[in-house]
Amino acid sequence: MEKIVIEGGRKLVGEVTIGGAKNAALAILPATILAGDLCRIENVPEISDVTMIFHILKQLGAEVKLIKPGSYEINTKNIVWQEISHELTRHLRGSYYFVGAMLGRFGRARVAMPGGCDFGARPIDLHIRGFEALGADATIEANAMVDARADSLQGSLIYMDLVSVGATANIILASVLAEGTTTIENAAREPHIVDLANFLIQCGADIRGAGTDVIKIHGVKSLHGCDYSVIPDQIEAGTYMVAAAATSGKVVLKNVIYKHLESIAAKLRDCGAEIIENEDGSVVVEGSAALCSCKVKTLPHPGFPTDMQPQITALLSVADGTSIISETVYDNRFRYVEQLSRMGADISVNGKIAVVVGVERLMGAPIKAVDLRAGAAMLIAGLMAEGVTEIEDIEHIDRGYEDVVKKLSRLGANIKRVNFPEPNTIPSAV
Ligand code: UD1
């Protein structure tokens, strides 16, 4: 097993290049199934969630060839229908995109319920209702298999009760080859929805309105392969922005789309940081010595992303004054607060609201990454803290951050990965 060890107190200074967007890649890679052809995809992040998606694609019979780091040739011509087991889906949320993609291509999908981070109940009822609206019989069986089948898929008007990234993307996947027009109302507007739509459009799909709350998909007879480059990761970029501000450092972020970072930049400015977009598209974040408290409310895009909530909370734990964090997307996304408390943070949680009273400093401690973005918050806390922080359960961090130790080291952090024995392998004292 490995853990990350950080000796805190250093400012992050320098340049960091952001990788491809995890949540875009997790939708685009299964979407290659619909192309049934050769796709060349660049800017694919080197993270364990992507490794798992490739593993599933290969199990289905896709040929996957690494051209150079981050660039792959994927040929899905010869894939054959088969069910996708719990073993393959249990580690990641994005595995639910195989339902839409297999249903769209073969008229049948049988995929085990997705895994992913534990933020309380994460139902997929909106996905199921979307597939049903397209004419499929879709159920979640008692053994947690999602079964969806249709003789033919028919375009339909689908109104989403609440904004769901996964359901919006899954309905797009299932409807690009359907007959007629599908209209998704109250659709998610996240950058990765737009990226998925752009990829499918390159493959010959007819999709209008992605990035707005009404998306229209006119079904086409077939798709073909294409060359595509995944957008940069909004949340990886946001995490380095917060880390720069939290350490009073100065970091230049390359390979970013500033428009996707505006809500994060706005909050960091409230906290006292300076953020500038350079003419070449890179973004500079300069933290101030004195961080100020602020109010944060997570919302679907273009609001402040829930996937940045733990990171900003870590920063606010040492900001001057009291901050209020309202989590409106998930029921239970403050499980990591207990870990920050071990480092001396003063945070009280009441349901979906956290009240953060800024303390002078955090102290290094042994802590755990309880989920992916919680892990990012622990990294930021460790970078700010006095003394040594040891983070366990870092496999959560590896799901979504490529080369995080290398990237932070290059920015001047004192950080390393170390092997440590599992409890039952520690020799007992003689
Ligand atoms: C995706 C992202 C995740 C991010 C989230 C919100 C991927 C792989 N994951 O997750 O990183 O935190 O968007 O930006 O892209 N809901 C239902 N029924 C449904 C679907 C969702 O009630 O059928 C609820 C969820 O429980 C949650 C809210 O809707 O409270 C939003 O969830 P959703 O946008 O669907 O998130 P995910 O697609 O799971």
Side-chain angles (χ1 to χ4, degrees), residues 2 4-5 25 27 72 85 102 107 128 136 138 158 183 196-197 199 228 241 248 255 266 270 278 335 353 372 415 426:
E2 283 187 314
I4 291 177
V5 179
Y72 294 85
S85 70
M102 296 292 275
I128 298 286
I158 299 170
T183 305
L196 170 66
F199 165 74
Y228 197 76
M241 290 168 76
S248 312
N255 189 35
D270 286 354
N278 286 329
R335 288 192 313 129
I353 307 236
L372 165 56
I415 182 170
I426 297 171

Side-chain angles (χ1 to χ4, degrees), residues 22-23 26 93-94 96-97 119 121-128 162-167 190 192 306-307 328-331 333 373:
K22 164 184 166 284
N23 288 345
L26 295 186
R93 195 80 194 145
Y96 52 26
Y97 292 134
F119 311 139
R122 293 181 81 178
I124 60 159
D125 54 309
L126 296 172
H127 304 231
I128 298 286
L162 51 86
V163 178
S164 162
V165 170
E190 268 65 6
H192 28 289
T306 174
D307 285 355
T328 75
V329 179
Y330 292 111
D331 290 338
R333 201 170 189 171
R373 306 303 170 185

Side-chain angles (χ1 to χ4, degrees), residues 9-342:
R10 292 199 185 178
K11 293 179 182 205
L12 295 188
V13 178
E15 276 182 16
V16 63
T17 301
I18 300 305
K22 164 184 166 284
N23 288 345
L26 295 186
I28 289 169
L29 297 174
T32 61
I33 291 173
L34 293 161
D37 196 1
L38 180 67
C39 297
R40 288 186 198 86
I41 318 276
E42 289 179 7
N43 207 31
V44 177
E46 303 282 328
I47 52 176
S48 67
D49 267 15
V50 161
T51 308
M52 201 63 213
I53 292 281
F54 277 135
H55 183 59
I56 300 174
L57 281 169
K58 285 184 203 160
Q59 293 276 312
L60 295 172
E63 290 155 36
V64 178
K65 200 158 120 197
L66 175 71
I67 306 301
K68 58 178 187 192
S71 293
Y72 294 85
E73 278 186 1
I74 304 159
N75 195 337
T76 56
K77 185 165 181 241
N78 297 321
I79 69 167
V80 283
W81 187 89
Q82 54 187 285
E83 72 173 49
I84 300 174
S85 70
H86 182 66
E87 205 41 53
L88 295 172
T89 64
R90 72 194 168 102
H91 293 294
L92 75 165
R93 195 80 194 145
S95 55
Y96 52 26
Y97 292 134
F98 284 97
V99 183
M102 296 292 275
L103 182 63
R105 169 132 174 212
F106 295 104
R108 171 120 197 249
R110 215 176 134 71
V111 180
M113 280 289 280
C117 298
D118 174 8
F119 311 139
R122 293 181 81 178
I124 60 159
D125 54 309
L126 296 172
H127 304 231
I128 298 286
R129 276 166 45 196
F131 299 140
E132 284 174 342
L134 297 173
D137 261 339
T139 47
I140 304 171
E141 297 171 354
N143 60 359
M145 291 298 288
V146 181
D147 194 286
R149 55 182 90 189
D151 292 335
S152 71
L153 292 163
Q154 300 288 333
S156 168
L157 171 66
I158 299 170
Y159 179 81
M160 313 275 277
D161 287 344
L162 51 86
V163 178
S164 162
V165 170
T168 302
N170 237 339
I171 294 166
I172 293 175
L173 291 168
S175 62
V176 280
L177 294 173
E179 279 172 33
T181 299
T182 299
T183 305
I184 309 175
E185 295 207 355
N186 200 22
R189 292 175 283 169
E190 268 65 6
H192 28 289
I193 296 288
V194 179
D195 211 32
L196 170 66
N198 284 341
F199 165 74
L200 288 165
I201 290 166
Q202 287 289 109
C203 293
D206 184 347
I207 304 171
R208 322 259 167 111
T212 76
D213 59 1
V214 180
I215 302 178
K216 276 192 189 296
I217 304 122
H218 302 287
V220 294
K221 289 260 176 288
S222 63
L223 298 180
H224 49 74
C226 74
D227 292 359
Y228 197 76
S229 183
V230 175
I231 53 166
D233 196 300
Q234 173 199 32
I235 306 300
E236 189 197 10
T239 301
Y240 284 97
M241 290 168 76
V242 173
T247 59
S248 312
K250 184 173 181 181
V251 171
V252 180
L253 294 102
K254 302 221 150 173
N255 189 35
V256 290
I257 298 175
Y258 180 68
K259 185 86 194 137
H260 299 166
L261 304 174
E262 276 175 345
S263 64
I264 303 163
K267 272 302 131 194
L268 288 176
R269 285 192 188 105
D270 286 354
C271 297
E274 225 184 278
I275 295 138
I276 300 162
E277 184 191 13
N278 286 329
E279 274 188 9
D280 66 359
S282 62
V283 169
V284 188
V285 181
E286 186 164 5
S288 77
L291 294 164
C292 329
S293 56
C294 69
K295 285 188 181 159
V296 180
K297 187 176 192 174
T298 66
L299 288 168
H301 192 78
F304 187 86
T306 174
D307 285 355
M308 285 301 303
Q309 182 258 96
Q311 299 91 314
I312 195 100
T313 303
L315 174 148
L316 291 170
S317 69
V318 295
D320 188 27
T322 299
S323 301
I324 311 284
I325 321 285
S326 313
E327 171 58 56
T328 75
V329 179
Y330 292 111
D331 290 338
N332 188 11
R333 201 170 189 171
F334 287 118
R335 288 192 313 129
Y336 65 89
V337 160
E338 194 191 323
Q339 307 297 317
L340 290 180
S341 303
R342 286 170 194 238

